[in-house]
Amino acid sequence: MYFAALLARTEDGWEASDTELDDVETLSDLADLAREASPDEDTVLVLIEQEDAWFGVVRVDGEEDPRIYVSDAAAAARSSYGEILLTDELLGRDPGDDGSADLDALDLDGTEDGESDEDDDAEGGAGAAGSAESVPHGPVGDAQILDDLGVTEKELRLMSTDAVTEIAESLGASETLETVR
């Protein structure tokens, strides 16, 4: 089960809104959604949580690039919402690198046509495992994303099952968040 909410910091404190991510396909879409929640270009946090598996925080400050923290990249990679957050840049990959081998580095000696289907299956399995390994287990992103708001890197890394509620409590926005839960 997923939960996603927007917390927008205003002059009067935090304002929360429940958000549907069904139409969000990219990080840009998510950042635009966050910016719409704060017409005054205040800080907006997008909090996403998959029960007992992972959580993510996206921080949008005006027109700046979004900052991202994901508690467990490998768990998030198995989620459609997590895939939105796990950009090539966040994972330290070159954009467009699909994890496959460079064609120039392959040894094409002409025997490829004679390989059996079993060999193809074995190679496909290795390739799939190789790309899965490119997503690290554990946290990725900007662990200092909430430092100036009172949640330290250490506190963020220690959060687990109900991180969204813990973050809201630290920000003084737990009652506000509960109105949209």
Side-chain angles (χ1 to χ4, degrees), residues 136-150:
H137 290 274
V140 295
D142 183 355
Q144 298 174 345
I145 192 169
L146 301 172
D147 271 1
D148 65 323
L149 299 175

Side-chain angles (χ1 to χ4, degrees), residues 19 104 151 177:
T19 188
D104 294 335
V151 181
L177 181 67

Side-chain angles (χ1 to χ4, degrees), residues 1 3 25 44 46-47 51 53 59 65 67 83 89 94 97 101 113 120 129 136 141-142 165 170 176 178:
M1 183 167 152
F3 175 72
E25 295 180 9
V44 178
V46 181
L47 305 173
E51 211 169 89
R59 179 176 178 159
D65 288 339
R67 295 167 57 193
E83 287 178 348
E89 182 181 349
D94 291 330
D97 180 12
D113 293 335
D120 290 343
D142 183 355
T165 299
S170 296
T176 303
E178 284 305 312

Side-chain angles (χ1 to χ4, degrees), residues 100-177:
S100 62
D102 184 359
L103 289 178
D104 294 335
L106 293 176
D107 181 17
L108 301 176
D109 61 5
T111 60
E112 293 77 26
D113 293 335
E115 292 176 349
S116 72
D117 290 339
E118 291 175 4
D119 290 341
D120 290 343
D121 291 344
E123 285 178 22
S131 58
E133 289 173 12
S134 66
V135 177
H137 290 274
V140 295
D142 183 355
Q144 298 174 345
I145 192 169
L146 301 172
D147 271 1
D148 65 323
L149 299 175
V151 181
T152 67
E153 176 178 351
K154 181 179 179 181
E155 291 169 330
L156 190 61
R157 290 185 186 273
L158 291 174
M159 291 180 183
S160 57
T161 56
D162 199 13
V164 168
T165 299
E166 290 179 52
I167 290 168
E169 285 175 6
S170 296
L171 299 174
S174 58
E175 288 180 22
T176 303
L177 181 67

Side-chain angles (χ1 to χ4, degrees), residues 3 5-10 12-18 47 164-165 168-169 171-181:
F3 175 72
L6 296 173
L7 283 179
R9 187 166 66 172
T10 67
D12 302 325
W14 291 97
E15 291 182 8
S17 56
D18 188 11
L47 305 173
V164 168
T165 299
E169 285 175 6
L171 299 174
S174 58
E175 288 180 22
T176 303
L177 181 67
E178 284 305 312
T179 63
V180 297
R181 254 202 201 262

